[in-house]
């Protein structure tokens, strides 16, 4: 049995999610030998801390993957599409957080609490991490599907500014600063937009002002008026849960929250269940915390759970007019479980596989 700890590369180590990855690697059980930090040429040479050690960031080149066992990628789709196969060609198993490979039938889409066995089904040497919006609800839905069989899903998401990257965070803070002290703002049609655009310009990651507002759009335009984020919820839920004919409808909304996505979920099941049944299953589920006492004003909110690893669930109700249907509200930090943590958990499954593999196995 091998006792060598595998070598890990973090590609995109200087980005918003990459920074969270380094924090998570420093907090979780240390299953890695060397950890290499990799980023674009312009970031090469920076020194970042991981596991309490200073590590110099290396430029993304083919040679940087030599001797690496597992690489966690958090880079744009086009970068992953180019560089993940290069890493695989150097003997690396890639865990990719981009959208480049999620719907490839030869690439598993993995949530360790739901379908961990799929990590071994990787003919292309690549494992995909789901979109952060889908991931926010997947631990909870996986637990309920296991008991009652999910068949229909209607979702409204409330997505944080950080889902648009660091530029989204900065834009929200800038808009808040511009509107600070303007006590009349938001009381007349168009006044928020006029003030924000006058001070900050119209070059924004959001199609409308986000401060003092909600924007019913996230992602890019697809056929039929759907956004890419809404289609990801549909397609990725089907793949993760292995329900190819799951009926899904999603509306994705951007809200003035820095970090942590929320979803209002209407889930229809094949078998009868009560709210108490659902609540107990969620209490027992891995990585789910139930906060559900409306009489005491207890339910999850983004501001209360940001920076936490679990999925938080509340407002659990049996639908009044729909049989076998549960309504619930879910919150999850989109930079942690929605991205960095799930990627790290997948990589840890690979580390366990690599360290328990017999020497005569390849």
């Amino acid at each position: 049995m091998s006792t060598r700890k595998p070598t890990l590369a973090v590609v995109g180590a200087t980005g918003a999610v990459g920074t969270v990855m380094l924090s998570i690697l420093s907090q979780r059980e240390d299953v890695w030998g060397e950890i290499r930090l990799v980023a674009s040429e312009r970031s090469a040479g920076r020194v970042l801390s991981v596991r309490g050690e200073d590590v110099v960031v290396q430029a993304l080149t083919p040679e940087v993957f030599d001797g690496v066992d597992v690489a966690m990628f958090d880079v744009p789709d086009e970068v992953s599409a180019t560089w993940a196969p290069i890493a695989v060609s150097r003997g690396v198993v890639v865990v990719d957080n981009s959208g480049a490979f999620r719907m490839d039938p030869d690439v598993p889409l993995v949530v360790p609490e739901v379908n961990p066995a799929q990590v071994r089904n990787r003919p292309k040497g690549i494992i995909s991490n789901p979109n952060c919006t889908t991931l926010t609800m997947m631990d909870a839905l996986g637990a309920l599907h296991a008991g009652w069989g999910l068949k229909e899903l209607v979702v409204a998401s409330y997505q944080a500014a950080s889902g648009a990257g660091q530029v989204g965070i900065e834009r929200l803070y800038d808009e808040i600063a511009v509107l600070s002290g303007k006590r009349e703002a938001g009381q007349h049609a168009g006044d928020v937009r006029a003030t924000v655009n006058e001070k900050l310009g119209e070059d924004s990651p959001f199609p409308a002002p986000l401060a003092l507002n909600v924007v019913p759009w996230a992602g890019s335009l697809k056929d039929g008026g759907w956004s890419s984020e809404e289609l990801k919820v549909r397609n990725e839920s089907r793949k993760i849960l292995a329900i190819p004919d799951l009926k899904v409808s999603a509306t994705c909304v951007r809200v003035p929250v820095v970090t942590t996505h929320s979803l209002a979920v209407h889930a229809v099941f094949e078998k009868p269940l009560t709210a108490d049944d659902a609540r107990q299953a969620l209490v027992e589920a891995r990585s789910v915390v139930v906060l559900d006492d409306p009489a005491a004003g207890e339910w999850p909110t983004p501001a209360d759970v940001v920076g936490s690893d679990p999925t938080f669930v509340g407002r659990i109700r049996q639908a009044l007019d729909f049989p076998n249907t549960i309504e619930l509200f879910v919150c999850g930090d989109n930079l942690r479980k929605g991205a960095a943590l799930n990627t790290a958990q997948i990589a840890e499954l690979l580390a366990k596989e690599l360290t328990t593999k017999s020497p005569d196995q390849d």
Side-chain angles (χ1 to χ4, degrees), residues 68-72 87-88 91-95 122 125-127 350 354:
V68 171
D69 298 292
V70 178
M72 302 194 304
V88 171
V92 180
V93 180
V94 170
V95 184
R122 49 177 195 268
I126 301 170
I127 301 167
L350 292 169
L354 292 168

Side-chain angles (χ1 to χ4, degrees), residues 290-315:
V290 174
L291 297 175
D292 189 39
D293 187 355
E298 183 179 81
W299 44 68
T301 74
D304 293 321
V305 308
V306 63
S308 302
D309 289 343
T311 296
F312 292 79
V313 182
R315 300 298 321 280

Side-chain angles (χ1 to χ4, degrees), residues 76-122:
D77 290 10
E78 62 274 14
V79 178
S80 281
T82 298
W83 284 95
I86 292 173
V88 171
S89 74
R90 316 289 281 210
V92 180
V93 180
V94 170
V95 184
D96 182 45
N97 192 41
S98 82
F101 303 100
R102 287 178 185 147
M103 299 316 298
D104 187 323
D106 292 326
V107 175
L109 190 62
V110 174
V111 180
E113 294 86 351
V114 179
N115 60 343
Q118 286 297 310
V119 296
R120 293 180 177 270
N121 178 27
R122 49 177 195 268

Side-chain angles (χ1 to χ4, degrees), residues 8-22:
L8 174 71
V10 180
V11 182
T14 59
V17 174
T19 301
V20 177
M21 283 182 177
L22 302 190

